[in-house]
Amino acid sequence: MHGYFTILIIFCLITTSLLMLFYISNGPEKKDSSYIRSLPGNIKCDSGPRIIDFPKKPIGPFFNDNPSCACRNNNSLNQFVPENELQDLQKRRIEEYKQHQIRTGKQNDVLLLAPPNTPLQYPIRGFRVSPMNKTLIPGLAVQTQNRDIYQVSLRVGKGVLSIIDVQEGEDVNGENEGILTISSTSVEKLNDLLSRVTYTSTIYHIKTEDLAYFSFENHEVIFPITIRRLSVPVLYDPGKDINSLVTVLVKAFLRYKELKVLIESIRVNYPNIKIIIADDSHEPEKIDGDNIEHYIMPPAQGWFAGRNLAVSQVTTKYFLWVDDDFVFLNQTRIESFVKIMEAVPELDVVGGEVDGNRFAFKLLYQEGNSDEGGCITRVKATYGPVPGLDKCFFVDGVVNYFMARTDAVRRVGFDPFLKRVAHTEFFLDGLGELLVATCQGLRIGHQKHTSSGTYKHFRHPAKADGHRKLIHHYFKNHLKCIIY
């Protein structure tokens, strides 16, 4: 029996040695995480921390490099630029686009990856600081097995790091500098120090970001720090009735007969609501009536210049835009628009129906590369229903009968360069800035009339004007092509 146990012990020793040789020959030399996964679960390392030199994978920041885009007809807008002007125009456009990217924080639009199985705890979203104000970084910690010594480092690019109330004996290097190193023999003390780390931006900017690099041994993570100057709210008192909540806006040009019909139809159900008229007719006629503001412009300044003037005079939370040849119907209810806007505060624009036409569309936009520019295609479609509103659908643009949030539209504005043919262009400028919806059942009528020869002349510009408009989009919107 004794000989049997002796043989068994010898066999176990030989087997264990062979297993160890197998792990050594197939593990660390391959530097692959499968080595760790293949170890039996009951094997423990009690000889202190073990650092395996795995190859580091990049975690960022990665900057986006957009590919070139193409429109269906492949007609580039630069073909409308005179050949002798194209080179200089392109140079100016490239420079302006670079400045636009700086102003809009494009340099902060980077991709960051979270490494797997890291022992580091850190804020991944929502850490916001005011410029040049010291702020505690929340949530910093290390969670790991016992070590003889623990050392972490933090690095930032647009500010300095420090620790509140450092005590004698606490090992901290780099106070009030861009790189901070903390060491401790206790993970509890290390985490206490990390809970007192602060960040202070050193460059004044009202809207930017910094990246913080947090590392421990061979682990490193990156997290963003949002730097924002606090803004003051701008609120509109809704008052007690529809008259203090909505203003009706009209751009008038020559069609005074239709304009008077429109005003009369508004007054049937809304005798006291304010009406603002921006008028660039050649021979303006006086518009009488209570609570009407009639602004006379220089002749033929155009649709968007008139819109800008009208919107600039609004003092209510919302405005309702109508054309001068529309007519309120018995079922036209401004309150229906308001109910939708108040139910979904994120909405900026809600479009209705003109004689049953909602003219709702999407703008398919590809940013393109920085040299050629982007591509825009307008398509008749929606993005889907607005939650909680079965008859409303998200879109990028709507018909020329809409209610809008005054402060949101002022931020986008109407380009006064566009005088005659301009509607989609407002929504193009507001792409990504305005949340737009189209809703069924918000009806208004369209008067039947015969336009004068003078009106038709201004309403339908010459071909050369259309080319100038396309050149304008080529530069202003940094577009390679556009399809309506």
Side-chain angles (χ1 to χ4, degrees), residues 273-470:
I273 199 165
K274 181 184 287 187
I275 302 172
I276 294 178
I277 303 168
D279 187 351
D280 62 344
S281 300
H282 292 276
E283 297 179 0
E285 296 182 13
K286 186 177 181 181
I287 303 297
D288 294 319
D290 294 334
N291 218 10
I292 292 177
E293 296 180 3
H294 186 199
Y295 293 92
I296 306 299
M297 305 168 59
Q301 289 301 295
W303 197 0
F304 272 16
R307 278 188 172 185
N308 273 333
L309 172 57
V311 172
S312 72
Q313 300 305 304
V314 175
T315 59
T316 53
K317 183 176 182 179
Y318 304 115
F319 68 82
L320 182 70
W321 186 268
V322 295
D323 278 359
D324 57 2
D325 62 346
F326 288 175
V327 59
F328 273 42
L329 308 172
N330 290 332
Q331 59 267 50
T332 301
R333 290 292 179 269
I334 298 176
E335 292 87 351
S336 299
F337 279 101
V338 173
K339 185 177 180 180
I340 293 167
M341 298 287 281
E342 292 286 297
V344 187
E346 298 95 335
L347 283 173
D348 297 304
V349 178
V350 171
E353 301 178 2
V354 179
D355 277 352
N357 178 20
R358 287 188 288 132
F359 187 60
F361 56 88
K362 293 164 59 174
L363 293 171
L364 306 182
Y365 175 51
Q366 298 171 278
E367 192 172 5
N369 60 41
S370 57
D371 291 333
E372 294 180 337
C375 302
I376 283 276
T377 302
R378 187 182 72 189
V379 295
K380 188 177 180 181
T382 69
Y383 290 106
V386 178
L389 300 173
D390 294 337
K391 295 183 178 181
C392 296
F393 303 86
F394 287 118
V395 290
D396 288 321
V398 293
V399 72
N400 201 33
Y401 168 54
F402 58 84
M403 179 169 286
R405 199 172 297 275
T406 304
D407 59 346
V409 170
R410 281 179 179 159
R411 286 195 296 269
V412 175
F414 299 92
D415 184 355
F417 180 90
L418 305 170
K419 295 181 179 294
R420 306 290 167 248
V421 180
H423 179 67
T424 299
E425 293 74 13
F426 162 66
F427 295 103
L428 192 157
D429 287 349
L431 201 62
E433 298 289 337
L434 300 176
L435 185 61
V436 184
T438 180
C439 296
Q440 299 172 356
L442 305 176
R443 296 187 58 201
I444 198 169
H446 195 193
Q447 300 177 47
K448 294 181 180 180
H449 58 85
T450 302
S451 299
S452 67
T454 303
Y455 181 85
K456 287 182 179 179
H457 169 75
F458 284 97
R459 181 65 179 84
H460 303 288
K463 189 174 182 180
D465 291 335
H467 288 175
R468 281 193 291 270
K469 178 176 177 294
L470 293 175

Side-chain angles (χ1 to χ4, degrees), residues 85-251:
E85 298 177 12
L86 181 59
Q87 187 175 1
D88 287 341
L89 186 73
Q90 286 176 330
K91 287 180 180 179
R92 297 196 303 271
R93 190 178 81 144
I94 289 172
E95 183 58 34
E96 286 300 311
Y97 186 62
K98 288 178 181 177
Q99 293 191 21
H100 165 78
Q101 289 180 309
I102 293 172
R103 286 183 55 80
T104 56
K106 186 69 175 179
Q107 69 275 18
N108 299 319
D109 186 13
V110 297
L111 173 67
L112 302 176
L113 300 180
N117 304 320
T118 175
L120 298 173
Q121 177 180 293
Y122 54 98
I124 61 172
R125 182 183 177 188
F127 179 42
R128 178 180 292 191
V129 303
S130 294
M132 307 183 81
N133 280 345
K134 182 180 289 189
T135 308
L136 277 171
I137 303 178
L140 293 179
V142 174
Q143 300 177 8
T144 188
Q145 296 177 345
N146 293 335
R147 262 84 164 156
D148 293 331
I149 187 72
Y150 302 86
Q151 185 179 83
V152 298
S153 68
L154 288 123
R155 173 168 54 92
V156 294
K158 297 181 180 179
V160 295
L161 301 160
S162 62
I163 295 180
I164 296 175
D165 194 23
V166 177
Q167 302 296 314
E168 186 176 351
E170 293 178 333
D171 192 352
V172 176
N173 292 304
E175 278 266 78
N176 296 312
E177 295 178 6
I179 300 176
L180 182 70
T181 303
I182 308 170
S183 302
S184 179
T185 57
S186 164
V187 72
E188 290 80 12
K189 291 181 179 179
L190 178 74
N191 286 333
D192 176 63
L193 287 165
L194 286 172
S195 72
R196 292 184 268 137
V197 174
T198 68
Y199 171 85
T200 308
S201 67
T202 53
I203 301 173
Y204 183 80
H205 199 294
I206 64 169
K207 186 179 180 181
T208 187
E209 286 187 358
D210 199 353
L211 294 178
Y213 296 77
F214 183 26
S215 61
F216 168 70
E217 295 181 351
N218 64 325
H219 302 279
E220 184 174 63
V221 298
I222 308 173
F223 61 90
I225 301 173
T226 302
I227 303 170
R228 291 287 187 278
R229 184 76 169 92
L230 291 177
S231 58
V232 177
V234 177
L235 308 177
Y236 289 82
D237 184 358
K240 298 179 180 180
D241 58 27
I242 195 70
N243 301 315
S244 56
L245 195 58
V246 181
T247 304
V248 178
L249 304 188
V250 188
K251 163 64 180 65

